[in-house]
Short mmCIF file of all heavy atoms in Angstrom, two decimals:
data_model
loop_
_atom_site.label_atom_id
_atom_site.label_comp_id
_atom_site.label_asym_id
_atom_site.label_seq_id
_atom_site.Cartn_x
_atom_site.Cartn_y
_atom_site.Cartn_z
N ASN A 170 91.01 -19.26 -116.80
CA ASN A 170 91.25 -20.45 -117.61
C ASN A 170 89.88 -21.05 -117.89
O ASN A 170 89.04 -21.13 -116.99
CB ASN A 170 92.11 -21.43 -116.83
CG ASN A 170 93.42 -20.79 -116.41
OD1 ASN A 170 94.18 -20.33 -117.26
ND2 ASN A 170 93.67 -20.73 -115.11
N VAL A 171 89.65 -21.43 -119.13
CA VAL A 171 88.32 -21.91 -119.49
C VAL A 171 88.39 -23.37 -119.94
O VAL A 171 89.16 -23.71 -120.85
CB VAL A 171 87.70 -21.06 -120.63
CG1 VAL A 171 86.26 -21.48 -120.88
CG2 VAL A 171 87.77 -19.58 -120.30
N ILE A 172 87.61 -24.19 -119.26
CA ILE A 172 87.57 -25.61 -119.62
C ILE A 172 86.48 -25.84 -120.66
O ILE A 172 85.33 -25.45 -120.46
CB ILE A 172 87.31 -26.50 -118.39
CG1 ILE A 172 88.44 -26.31 -117.37
CG2 ILE A 172 87.17 -27.96 -118.79
CD1 ILE A 172 88.33 -27.18 -116.12
N LEU A 173 86.86 -26.45 -121.76
CA LEU A 173 85.89 -26.84 -122.79
C LEU A 173 85.80 -28.36 -122.79
O LEU A 173 86.81 -29.03 -123.00
CB LEU A 173 86.33 -26.41 -124.19
CG LEU A 173 86.70 -24.97 -124.48
CD1 LEU A 173 86.93 -24.80 -125.98
CD2 LEU A 173 85.60 -24.04 -124.04
N GLU A 174 84.61 -28.88 -122.56
CA GLU A 174 84.43 -30.32 -122.61
C GLU A 174 83.85 -30.65 -123.96
O GLU A 174 82.63 -30.60 -124.14
CB GLU A 174 83.39 -30.66 -121.53
CG GLU A 174 83.84 -31.63 -120.49
CD GLU A 174 82.63 -32.02 -119.66
OE1 GLU A 174 82.35 -31.28 -118.71
OE2 GLU A 174 81.98 -33.02 -120.01
N ILE A 175 84.71 -30.93 -124.91
CA ILE A 175 84.22 -31.10 -126.29
C ILE A 175 84.85 -32.33 -126.94
O ILE A 175 85.82 -32.89 -126.43
CB ILE A 175 84.51 -29.84 -127.14
CG1 ILE A 175 86.00 -29.57 -127.24
CG2 ILE A 175 83.78 -28.64 -126.56
CD1 ILE A 175 86.35 -28.41 -128.15
N ASP A 176 84.31 -32.74 -128.06
CA ASP A 176 84.81 -33.96 -128.70
C ASP A 176 86.05 -33.65 -129.57
O ASP A 176 86.49 -32.51 -129.67
CB ASP A 176 83.69 -34.64 -129.49
CG ASP A 176 83.36 -33.89 -130.76
OD1 ASP A 176 83.77 -32.71 -130.90
OD2 ASP A 176 82.71 -34.48 -131.63
N VAL A 177 86.56 -34.72 -130.17
CA VAL A 177 87.81 -34.63 -130.93
C VAL A 177 87.67 -33.66 -132.12
O VAL A 177 88.57 -32.85 -132.39
CB VAL A 177 88.18 -36.05 -131.43
CG1 VAL A 177 89.26 -36.00 -132.48
CG2 VAL A 177 88.60 -36.90 -130.25
N ASN A 178 86.55 -33.72 -132.79
CA ASN A 178 86.34 -32.86 -133.94
C ASN A 178 86.33 -31.39 -133.54
O ASN A 178 86.97 -30.53 -134.16
CB ASN A 178 85.03 -33.28 -134.61
CG ASN A 178 84.84 -32.62 -135.93
OD1 ASN A 178 84.69 -31.40 -135.99
ND2 ASN A 178 84.85 -33.40 -136.99
N GLY A 179 85.63 -31.11 -132.44
CA GLY A 179 85.58 -29.74 -131.94
C GLY A 179 86.97 -29.26 -131.51
O GLY A 179 87.33 -28.11 -131.70
N THR A 180 87.74 -30.18 -130.94
CA THR A 180 89.10 -29.84 -130.49
C THR A 180 89.94 -29.35 -131.68
O THR A 180 90.65 -28.35 -131.58
CB THR A 180 89.77 -31.08 -129.85
OG1 THR A 180 88.94 -31.53 -128.79
CG2 THR A 180 91.15 -30.75 -129.32
N LYS A 181 89.82 -30.07 -132.80
CA LYS A 181 90.59 -29.67 -133.99
C LYS A 181 90.20 -28.26 -134.43
O LYS A 181 91.05 -27.45 -134.78
CB LYS A 181 90.35 -30.66 -135.13
CG LYS A 181 91.00 -32.01 -134.86
CD LYS A 181 90.73 -32.98 -136.00
CE LYS A 181 91.34 -34.34 -135.66
NZ LYS A 181 90.80 -35.42 -136.49
N GLN A 182 88.91 -27.97 -134.38
CA GLN A 182 88.45 -26.63 -134.79
C GLN A 182 88.99 -25.55 -133.84
O GLN A 182 89.41 -24.49 -134.28
CB GLN A 182 86.93 -26.56 -134.78
CG GLN A 182 86.26 -27.43 -135.82
CD GLN A 182 84.73 -27.37 -135.65
OE1 GLN A 182 84.14 -26.32 -135.55
NE2 GLN A 182 84.10 -28.53 -135.60
N VAL A 183 88.98 -25.85 -132.54
CA VAL A 183 89.46 -24.86 -131.57
C VAL A 183 90.96 -24.64 -131.76
O VAL A 183 91.45 -23.51 -131.73
CB VAL A 183 89.14 -25.30 -130.12
CG1 VAL A 183 89.81 -24.38 -129.11
CG2 VAL A 183 87.63 -25.31 -129.89
N LEU A 184 91.72 -25.74 -132.00
CA LEU A 184 93.17 -25.60 -132.17
C LEU A 184 93.54 -24.76 -133.38
O LEU A 184 94.58 -24.11 -133.39
CB LEU A 184 93.84 -26.98 -132.25
CG LEU A 184 93.95 -27.73 -130.92
CD1 LEU A 184 94.50 -29.14 -131.15
CD2 LEU A 184 94.85 -26.99 -129.93
N GLU A 185 92.69 -24.78 -134.40
CA GLU A 185 92.97 -23.94 -135.58
C GLU A 185 92.93 -22.46 -135.21
O GLU A 185 93.72 -21.67 -135.69
CB GLU A 185 91.95 -24.22 -136.68
CG GLU A 185 92.35 -25.43 -137.51
CD GLU A 185 91.26 -25.85 -138.48
OE1 GLU A 185 90.42 -24.99 -138.86
OE2 GLU A 185 91.23 -27.04 -138.82
N GLN A 186 91.98 -22.11 -134.35
CA GLN A 186 91.84 -20.70 -133.97
C GLN A 186 92.69 -20.31 -132.76
O GLN A 186 93.10 -19.17 -132.63
CB GLN A 186 90.38 -20.40 -133.60
CG GLN A 186 89.41 -20.65 -134.72
CD GLN A 186 88.00 -20.73 -134.17
OE1 GLN A 186 87.47 -19.74 -133.69
NE2 GLN A 186 87.40 -21.91 -134.20
#
Side-chain angles (χ1 to χ4, degrees):
N170 303 302
V171 187
I172 299 183
L173 306 187
E174 238 189 274
I175 61 175
D176 74 344
V177 167
N178 190 294
T180 303
K181 289 179 183 163
Q182 294 175 49
V183 172
L184 285 174
E185 276 172 24
Q186 300 163 67

